[in-house]
Amino acid sequence: MRTKKAIINIIANVFVQLTSIIIGLIVPKLLISNYGSTVNGLIQMITQIVSYFGIIEGGVATAAGAALYKPLLENNEEKINRIMTAVKEFYLKTGFFFLILGGLVCILYPLSIMDQIDFITALIITVLLMIISIAGYLIFNKYNMILVSDQKHYITLISSALANILVAIVQIVLISYKVNILIVVLATPLLGIIRLLLIRKYVKTKYSYITYKSDSPDYSAIKNKWNALSLNVSQMCKIVIPLIVLNLMFDLKVVSVYSVYSMIFRVGSSLIETIGNSLTAGFGNLIAEG
């Protein structure tokens, strides 16, 4: 069963990578043709920043995920609930800083590119793309965490791929009718929130014993979160920093071109990382078994 789940997770990960590459080659081209490279550069820049914005969680997902392997293997419902209660409290406590950071990005970044794109347009696009990240952090990340730790990461992956495909189809249709760019961007958070709500419903049904309200939260389960943070930082730096440097030294048109080529050249390393991430929970179970 463990091997079967690992294989399914790998297939799901590869599926996500392939769909992301295909969509990444089609949609940006249409955006550039119809709205210009500057708009596409803005979207790519904010999307990359938002995707790594969760670093503020301090690696709690990685730390708590490791702590969950054994209780999940033993069906220790009380232990699982204690860990998840600690995780929820951490997200809520740090969520305030996340909101402040998100608000600063939404205001300061559009101000910094006023010479390239209208401030109001940039502001609304940034807010729309930031919403899904903030909602995920405050409400939904804890549901994804339990699925990943229980070797059911394929559920979040497949749902993510399907949502991305649906978003791409909607955006392609809207772009073909030359709809306002704000409506085109709106499809991303709207369908993303719907996906997260479905994941939440599944987890609350499948793991109904997790109430996130234990009287004795297991804070020790997330004590290693800052160790995991260093891994998250290294992952973020190799992708986000080049974009920031390009944005500061050149303009959003250069960022737009770089994003497309960067995605193509990262295919190989992304697939290797994908396979490794798919096996993590399986090895965690082996360790839990001794």
Side-chain angles (χ1 to χ4, degrees):
M1 179 61 73
R2 180 167 51 233
T3 303
K4 182 179 179 181
K5 285 183 177 180
I7 292 173
I8 294 174
N9 282 329
I10 290 174
I11 294 173
N13 259 300
V14 172
F15 179 57
V16 169
Q17 292 288 335
L18 292 177
T19 54
S20 296
I21 292 168
I22 294 171
I23 292 171
L25 291 174
I26 296 175
V27 175
K29 182 180 179 180
L30 294 174
L31 287 171
I32 292 170
S33 300
N34 291 272
Y35 304 100
S37 292
T38 300
V39 170
N40 181 61
L42 170 63
I43 293 173
Q44 295 300 327
M45 184 70 185
I46 296 301
T47 300
Q48 289 296 337
I49 291 175
V50 166
S51 66
Y52 287 91
F53 220 53
I55 192 172
I56 197 174
E57 70 176 355
V60 69
T62 305
L68 281 168
Y69 293 140
K70 188 171 183 179
L72 282 169
L73 185 67
E74 298 173 347
N75 293 317
N76 189 336
E77 297 180 359
E78 180 184 356
K79 178 72 170 177
I80 295 170
N81 196 41
R82 289 178 59 206
I83 294 173
M84 295 309 297
T85 301
V87 169
K88 179 185 177 182
E89 290 185 7
F90 178 86
Y91 280 138
L92 290 177
K93 288 178 181 177
T94 56
F96 175 71
F97 299 100
F98 191 65
L99 286 171
I100 292 177
L101 189 57
L104 289 174
V105 171
C106 288
I107 298 296
L108 297 179
Y109 187 68
L111 282 173
S112 70
I113 56 173
M114 285 180 62
D115 59 330
Q116 301 180 58
I117 190 170
D118 175 65
F119 172 76
I120 298 299
T121 300
L123 174 65
I124 295 175
I125 288 175
T126 305
V127 170
L128 288 175
L129 294 176
M130 190 69 70
I131 286 174
I132 190 72
S133 183
I134 293 175
Y137 185 85
L138 291 174
I139 304 171
F140 300 105
N141 278 9
K142 58 182 179 287
Y143 300 114
N144 289 332
M145 184 190 304
I146 194 72
L147 290 174
V148 173
S149 300
D150 201 21
Q151 284 192 280
K152 294 180 180 177
H153 192 27
Y154 58 86
I155 293 175
T156 61
L157 290 169
I158 293 174
S159 65
S160 175
L162 294 176
N164 289 340
I165 292 171
L166 188 56
V167 168
I169 293 172
V170 171
Q171 289 184 332
I172 289 170
V173 172
L174 292 174
I175 293 171
S176 66
Y177 283 98
K178 300 189 182 300
V179 175
N180 188 285
I181 185 59
L182 299 180
I183 304 299
V184 175
V185 175
L186 179 62
T188 300
L190 190 61
L191 293 173
I193 291 293
I194 292 173
R195 168 188 167 266
L196 292 176
L197 286 171
L198 292 173
I199 291 289
R200 177 178 180 270
K201 181 177 177 60
Y202 174 83
V203 172
K204 289 181 77 69
T205 301
K206 183 71 175 179
Y207 305 90
S208 57
Y209 58 86
I210 303 179
T211 62
Y212 306 97
K213 296 178 181 178
S214 174
D215 294 328
S216 55
D218 188 359
Y219 298 111
S220 64
I222 58 175
K223 66 180 180 180
N224 291 321
K225 56 184 177 293
W226 304 119
N227 294 332
L229 174 62
S230 61
L231 297 177
N232 293 345
V233 169
S234 64
Q235 290 279 38
M236 180 193 71
C237 288
K238 67 180 182 181
I239 295 177
V240 175
I241 288 181
L243 288 173
I244 294 174
V245 171
L246 287 174
N247 187 67
L248 292 173
M249 295 183 64
F250 300 100
D251 55 27
L252 290 173
K253 293 180 180 179
V254 176
V255 172
S256 175
V257 174
Y258 173 82
S259 297
V260 175
Y261 281 100
S262 175
M263 177 194 65
I264 295 172
F265 286 110
R266 284 206 314 268
V267 172
S269 61
S270 295
L271 287 175
I272 294 173
E273 289 174 8
T274 287
I275 295 173
N277 292 336
S278 301
L279 298 173
T280 301
F283 282 115
N285 275 268
L286 286 172
I287 294 171
E289 289 177 351

PDB file of all heavy atoms in Angstrom, residues 59-68 71 79-80 82-84 86-87 145 217-225:
ATOM      1  N   GLY A  59       8.574  27.084   8.399  1.00  0.00           N
ATOM      2  CA  GLY A  59       8.834  25.658   8.243  1.00  0.00           C
ATOM      3  C   GLY A  59       7.954  24.780   9.118  1.00  0.00           C
ATOM      4  O   GLY A  59       8.231  23.593   9.276  1.00  0.00           O
ATOM      5  N   VAL A  60       6.875  25.362   9.672  1.00  0.00           N
ATOM      6  CA  VAL A  60       6.024  24.585  10.579  1.00  0.00           C
ATOM      7  C   VAL A  60       5.385  23.393   9.870  1.00  0.00           C
ATOM      8  O   VAL A  60       5.183  22.338  10.478  1.00  0.00           O
ATOM      9  CB  VAL A  60       4.930  25.485  11.213  1.00  0.00           C
ATOM     10  CG1 VAL A  60       3.914  25.933  10.186  1.00  0.00           C
ATOM     11  CG2 VAL A  60       4.245  24.765  12.364  1.00  0.00           C
ATOM     12  N   ALA A  61       5.065  23.558   8.587  1.00  0.00           N
ATOM     13  CA  ALA A  61       4.457  22.449   7.849  1.00  0.00           C
ATOM     14  C   ALA A  61       5.403  21.259   7.764  1.00  0.00           C
ATOM     15  O   ALA A  61       4.993  20.106   7.932  1.00  0.00           O
ATOM     16  CB  ALA A  61       4.056  22.902   6.445  1.00  0.00           C
ATOM     17  N   THR A  62       6.694  21.544   7.516  1.00  0.00           N
ATOM     18  CA  THR A  62       7.688  20.471   7.434  1.00  0.00           C
ATOM     19  C   THR A  62       7.895  19.810   8.788  1.00  0.00           C
ATOM     20  O   THR A  62       7.934  18.580   8.899  1.00  0.00           O
ATOM     21  CB  THR A  62       9.029  21.029   6.922  1.00  0.00           C
ATOM     22  OG1 THR A  62       8.814  21.691   5.672  1.00  0.00           O
ATOM     23  CG2 THR A  62      10.043  19.912   6.735  1.00  0.00           C
ATOM     24  N   ALA A  63       8.028  20.627   9.825  1.00  0.00           N
ATOM     25  CA  ALA A  63       8.271  20.099  11.173  1.00  0.00           C
ATOM     26  C   ALA A  63       7.083  19.291  11.672  1.00  0.00           C
ATOM     27  O   ALA A  63       7.233  18.171  12.183  1.00  0.00           O
ATOM     28  CB  ALA A  63       8.571  21.249  12.130  1.00  0.00           C
ATOM     29  N   ALA A  64       5.888  19.846  11.541  1.00  0.00           N
ATOM     30  CA  ALA A  64       4.688  19.150  12.014  1.00  0.00           C
ATOM     31  C   ALA A  64       4.418  17.910  11.181  1.00  0.00           C
ATOM     32  O   ALA A  64       3.959  16.890  11.706  1.00  0.00           O
ATOM     33  CB  ALA A  64       3.492  20.092  11.958  1.00  0.00           C
ATOM     34  N   GLY A  65       4.717  17.996   9.877  1.00  0.00           N
ATOM     35  CA  GLY A  65       4.509  16.834   9.016  1.00  0.00           C
ATOM     36  C   GLY A  65       5.341  15.650   9.468  1.00  0.00           C
ATOM     37  O   GLY A  65       4.858  14.510   9.515  1.00  0.00           O
ATOM     38  N   ALA A  66       6.601  15.919   9.854  1.00  0.00           N
ATOM     39  CA  ALA A  66       7.472  14.845  10.354  1.00  0.00           C
ATOM     40  C   ALA A  66       6.933  14.268  11.657  1.00  0.00           C
ATOM     41  O   ALA A  66       7.014  13.062  11.895  1.00  0.00           O
ATOM     42  CB  ALA A  66       8.885  15.380  10.559  1.00  0.00           C
ATOM     43  N   ALA A  67       6.378  15.138  12.503  1.00  0.00           N
ATOM     44  CA  ALA A  67       5.848  14.685  13.801  1.00  0.00           C
ATOM     45  C   ALA A  67       4.564  13.876  13.638  1.00  0.00           C
ATOM     46  O   ALA A  67       4.197  13.102  14.529  1.00  0.00           O
ATOM     47  CB  ALA A  67       5.587  15.891  14.700  1.00  0.00           C
ATOM     48  N   LEU A  68       3.898  14.023  12.512  1.00  0.00           N
ATOM     49  CA  LEU A  68       2.619  13.341  12.297  1.00  0.00           C
ATOM     50  C   LEU A  68       2.765  11.908  11.779  1.00  0.00           C
ATOM     51  O   LEU A  68       1.821  11.125  11.859  1.00  0.00           O
ATOM     52  CB  LEU A  68       1.771  14.133  11.296  1.00  0.00           C
ATOM     53  CG  LEU A  68       1.039  15.365  11.833  1.00  0.00           C
ATOM     54  CD1 LEU A  68       0.494  16.198  10.680  1.00  0.00           C
ATOM     55  CD2 LEU A  68      -0.086  14.954  12.777  1.00  0.00           C
ATOM     56  N   PRO A  71       2.051   9.064  14.708  1.00  0.00           N
ATOM     57  CA  PRO A  71       0.654   8.978  15.165  1.00  0.00           C
ATOM     58  C   PRO A  71      -0.322   8.582  14.056  1.00  0.00           C
ATOM     59  O   PRO A  71      -1.316   7.901  14.321  1.00  0.00           O
ATOM     60  CB  PRO A  71       0.358  10.382  15.704  1.00  0.00           C
ATOM     61  CG  PRO A  71       1.447  11.243  15.217  1.00  0.00           C
ATOM     62  CD  PRO A  71       2.632  10.385  15.017  1.00  0.00           C
ATOM     63  N   LYS A  79      -3.221  12.208  19.662  1.00  0.00           N
ATOM     64  CA  LYS A  79      -1.919  12.812  19.371  1.00  0.00           C
ATOM     65  C   LYS A  79      -2.001  13.685  18.119  1.00  0.00           C
ATOM     66  O   LYS A  79      -1.453  14.803  18.082  1.00  0.00           O
ATOM     67  CB  LYS A  79      -0.873  11.714  19.190  1.00  0.00           C
ATOM     68  CG  LYS A  79       0.528  12.211  18.839  1.00  0.00           C
ATOM     69  CD  LYS A  79       1.209  12.868  20.005  1.00  0.00           C
ATOM     70  CE  LYS A  79       2.668  13.143  19.707  1.00  0.00           C
ATOM     71  NZ  LYS A  79       3.355  13.844  20.810  1.00  0.00           N
ATOM     72  N   ILE A  80      -2.659  13.166  17.087  1.00  0.00           N
ATOM     73  CA  ILE A  80      -2.802  13.915  15.839  1.00  0.00           C
ATOM     74  C   ILE A  80      -3.524  15.235  16.094  1.00  0.00           C
ATOM     75  O   ILE A  80      -3.115  16.295  15.609  1.00  0.00           O
ATOM     76  CB  ILE A  80      -3.576  13.079  14.793  1.00  0.00           C
ATOM     77  CG1 ILE A  80      -2.769  11.834  14.399  1.00  0.00           C
ATOM     78  CG2 ILE A  80      -3.892  13.923  13.556  1.00  0.00           C
ATOM     79  CD1 ILE A  80      -3.544  10.846  13.569  1.00  0.00           C
ATOM     80  N   ARG A  82      -3.739  16.890  18.874  1.00  0.00           N
ATOM     81  CA  ARG A  82      -2.897  17.797  19.678  1.00  0.00           C
ATOM     82  C   ARG A  82      -1.882  18.532  18.790  1.00  0.00           C
ATOM     83  O   ARG A  82      -1.648  19.726  18.950  1.00  0.00           O
ATOM     84  CB  ARG A  82      -2.168  16.999  20.755  1.00  0.00           C
ATOM     85  CG  ARG A  82      -3.058  16.494  21.891  1.00  0.00           C
ATOM     86  CD  ARG A  82      -2.249  15.670  22.875  1.00  0.00           C
ATOM     87  NE  ARG A  82      -1.152  16.461  23.432  1.00  0.00           N
ATOM     88  CZ  ARG A  82      -0.016  15.945  23.893  1.00  0.00           C
ATOM     89  NH1 ARG A  82       0.190  14.618  23.816  1.00  0.00           N
ATOM     90  NH2 ARG A  82       0.923  16.720  24.393  1.00  0.00           N
ATOM     91  N   ILE A  83      -1.285  17.781  17.833  1.00  0.00           N
ATOM     92  CA  ILE A  83      -0.318  18.399  16.917  1.00  0.00           C
ATOM     93  C   ILE A  83      -1.008  19.423  16.025  1.00  0.00           C
ATOM     94  O   ILE A  83      -0.523  20.548  15.848  1.00  0.00           O
ATOM     95  CB  ILE A  83       0.370  17.320  16.053  1.00  0.00           C
ATOM     96  CG1 ILE A  83       1.243  16.409  16.922  1.00  0.00           C
ATOM     97  CG2 ILE A  83       1.210  17.970  14.949  1.00  0.00           C
ATOM     98  CD1 ILE A  83       1.816  15.216  16.179  1.00  0.00           C
ATOM     99  N   MET A  84      -2.158  19.068  15.463  1.00  0.00           N
ATOM    100  CA  MET A  84      -2.855  19.951  14.554  1.00  0.00           C
ATOM    101  C   MET A  84      -3.406  21.187  15.268  1.00  0.00           C
ATOM    102  O   MET A  84      -3.523  22.253  14.663  1.00  0.00           O
ATOM    103  CB  MET A  84      -3.981  19.204  13.842  1.00  0.00           C
ATOM    104  CG  MET A  84      -3.498  18.085  12.919  1.00  0.00           C
ATOM    105  SD  MET A  84      -2.221  18.611  11.739  1.00  0.00           S
ATOM    106  CE  MET A  84      -3.110  19.827  10.774  1.00  0.00           C
ATOM    107  N   ALA A  86      -1.814  22.692  17.737  1.00  0.00           N
ATOM    108  CA  ALA A  86      -0.631  23.552  17.848  1.00  0.00           C
ATOM    109  C   ALA A  86      -0.347  24.238  16.514  1.00  0.00           C
ATOM    110  O   ALA A  86       0.016  25.422  16.483  1.00  0.00           O
ATOM    111  CB  ALA A  86       0.575  22.719  18.287  1.00  0.00           C
ATOM    112  N   VAL A  87      -0.515  23.499  15.427  1.00  0.00           N
ATOM    113  CA  VAL A  87      -0.287  24.050  14.096  1.00  0.00           C
ATOM    114  C   VAL A  87      -1.273  25.183  13.803  1.00  0.00           C
ATOM    115  O   VAL A  87      -0.896  26.259  13.326  1.00  0.00           O
ATOM    116  CB  VAL A  87      -0.417  22.953  13.020  1.00  0.00           C
ATOM    117  CG1 VAL A  87      -0.461  23.569  11.618  1.00  0.00           C
ATOM    118  CG2 VAL A  87       0.734  21.974  13.125  1.00  0.00           C
ATOM    119  N   MET A 145      -1.651  19.870   4.925  1.00  0.00           N
ATOM    120  CA  MET A 145      -0.585  19.247   5.696  1.00  0.00           C
ATOM    121  C   MET A 145      -0.930  17.813   6.096  1.00  0.00           C
ATOM    122  O   MET A 145      -0.099  16.909   5.987  1.00  0.00           O
ATOM    123  CB  MET A 145      -0.315  20.076   6.960  1.00  0.00           C
ATOM    124  CG  MET A 145       0.860  19.564   7.788  1.00  0.00           C
ATOM    125  SD  MET A 145       0.914  20.400   9.384  1.00  0.00           S
ATOM    126  CE  MET A 145       0.974  22.102   8.863  1.00  0.00           C
ATOM    127  N   PRO A 217      -2.334  21.275  23.404  1.00  0.00           N
ATOM    128  CA  PRO A 217      -1.641  21.294  22.102  1.00  0.00           C
ATOM    129  C   PRO A 217      -0.192  20.821  22.233  1.00  0.00           C
ATOM    130  O   PRO A 217       0.482  21.146  23.211  1.00  0.00           O
ATOM    131  CB  PRO A 217      -1.692  22.771  21.695  1.00  0.00           C
ATOM    132  CG  PRO A 217      -2.858  23.326  22.462  1.00  0.00           C
ATOM    133  CD  PRO A 217      -2.872  22.593  23.763  1.00  0.00           C
ATOM    134  N   ASP A 218       0.269  20.051  21.269  1.00  0.00           N
ATOM    135  CA  ASP A 218       1.634  19.523  21.294  1.00  0.00           C
ATOM    136  C   ASP A 218       2.587  20.486  20.581  1.00  0.00           C
ATOM    137  O   ASP A 218       2.895  20.323  19.402  1.00  0.00           O
ATOM    138  CB  ASP A 218       1.663  18.143  20.619  1.00  0.00           C
ATOM    139  CG  ASP A 218       3.012  17.457  20.780  1.00  0.00           C
ATOM    140  OD1 ASP A 218       3.912  18.067  21.387  1.00  0.00           O
ATOM    141  OD2 ASP A 218       3.157  16.334  20.278  1.00  0.00           O
ATOM    142  N   TYR A 219       3.067  21.484  21.319  1.00  0.00           N
ATOM    143  CA  TYR A 219       3.947  22.484  20.732  1.00  0.00           C
ATOM    144  C   TYR A 219       5.328  21.908  20.403  1.00  0.00           C
ATOM    145  O   TYR A 219       6.051  22.454  19.568  1.00  0.00           O
ATOM    146  CB  TYR A 219       4.105  23.670  21.680  1.00  0.00           C
ATOM    147  CG  TYR A 219       2.797  24.386  21.967  1.00  0.00           C
ATOM    148  CD1 TYR A 219       2.213  24.332  23.228  1.00  0.00           C
ATOM    149  CD2 TYR A 219       2.142  25.099  20.967  1.00  0.00           C
ATOM    150  CE1 TYR A 219       1.012  24.978  23.490  1.00  0.00           C
ATOM    151  CE2 TYR A 219       0.936  25.747  21.221  1.00  0.00           C
ATOM    152  CZ  TYR A 219       0.375  25.680  22.483  1.00  0.00           C
ATOM    153  OH  TYR A 219      -0.823  26.305  22.734  1.00  0.00           O
ATOM    154  N   SER A 220       5.686  20.809  21.055  1.00  0.00           N
ATOM    155  CA  SER A 220       6.993  20.194  20.783  1.00  0.00           C
ATOM    156  C   SER A 220       7.077  19.670  19.356  1.00  0.00           C
ATOM    157  O   SER A 220       8.168  19.517  18.802  1.00  0.00           O
ATOM    158  CB  SER A 220       7.255  19.053  21.770  1.00  0.00           C
ATOM    159  OG  SER A 220       6.307  18.002  21.587  1.00  0.00           O
ATOM    160  N   ALA A 221       5.911  19.393  18.756  1.00  0.00           N
ATOM    161  CA  ALA A 221       5.884  18.857  17.395  1.00  0.00           C
ATOM    162  C   ALA A 221       6.377  19.865  16.365  1.00  0.00           C
ATOM    163  O   ALA A 221       6.816  19.480  15.277  1.00  0.00           O
ATOM    164  CB  ALA A 221       4.470  18.408  17.035  1.00  0.00           C
ATOM    165  N   ILE A 222       6.318  21.154  16.708  1.00  0.00           N
ATOM    166  CA  ILE A 222       6.739  22.171  15.739  1.00  0.00           C
ATOM    167  C   ILE A 222       7.981  22.927  16.221  1.00  0.00           C
ATOM    168  O   ILE A 222       8.303  23.998  15.710  1.00  0.00           O
ATOM    169  CB  ILE A 222       5.594  23.172  15.455  1.00  0.00           C
ATOM    170  CG1 ILE A 222       5.132  23.863  16.743  1.00  0.00           C
ATOM    171  CG2 ILE A 222       4.435  22.466  14.786  1.00  0.00           C
ATOM    172  CD1 ILE A 222       4.082  24.940  16.507  1.00  0.00           C
ATOM    173  N   LYS A 223       8.681  22.352  17.196  1.00  0.00           N
ATOM    174  CA  LYS A 223       9.857  23.032  17.738  1.00  0.00           C
ATOM    175  C   LYS A 223      10.998  23.134  16.719  1.00  0.00           C
ATOM    176  O   LYS A 223      11.863  24.000  16.830  1.00  0.00           O
ATOM    177  CB  LYS A 223      10.355  22.319  18.997  1.00  0.00           C
ATOM    178  CG  LYS A 223      10.892  20.914  18.747  1.00  0.00           C
ATOM    179  CD  LYS A 223      11.371  20.272  20.039  1.00  0.00           C
ATOM    180  CE  LYS A 223      11.916  18.871  19.791  1.00  0.00           C
ATOM    181  NZ  LYS A 223      12.391  18.225  21.032  1.00  0.00           N
ATOM    182  N   ASN A 224      11.021  22.229  15.739  1.00  0.00           N
ATOM    183  CA  ASN A 224      12.097  22.247  14.732  1.00  0.00           C
ATOM    184  C   ASN A 224      11.740  23.072  13.493  1.00  0.00           C
ATOM    185  O   ASN A 224      12.384  22.945  12.448  1.00  0.00           O
ATOM    186  CB  ASN A 224      12.431  20.812  14.300  1.00  0.00           C
ATOM    187  CG  ASN A 224      13.088  20.021  15.417  1.00  0.00           C
ATOM    188  OD1 ASN A 224      13.915  20.554  16.160  1.00  0.00           O
ATOM    189  ND2 ASN A 224      12.719  18.758  15.545  1.00  0.00           N
ATOM    190  N   LYS A 225      10.709  23.900  13.623  1.00  0.00           N
ATOM    191  CA  LYS A 225      10.239  24.650  12.453  1.00  0.00           C
ATOM    192  C   LYS A 225      11.304  25.577  11.881  1.00  0.00           C
ATOM    193  O   LYS A 225      11.366  25.800  10.672  1.00  0.00           O
ATOM    194  CB  LYS A 225       8.995  25.457  12.803  1.00  0.00           C
ATOM    195  CG  LYS A 225       9.148  26.420  13.964  1.00  0.00           C
ATOM    196  CD  LYS A 225       7.822  27.096  14.279  1.00  0.00           C
ATOM    197  CE  LYS A 225       7.933  28.006  15.494  1.00  0.00           C
ATOM    198  NZ  LYS A 225       8.175  27.247  16.739  1.00  0.00           N
TER     199      LYS A 225
END
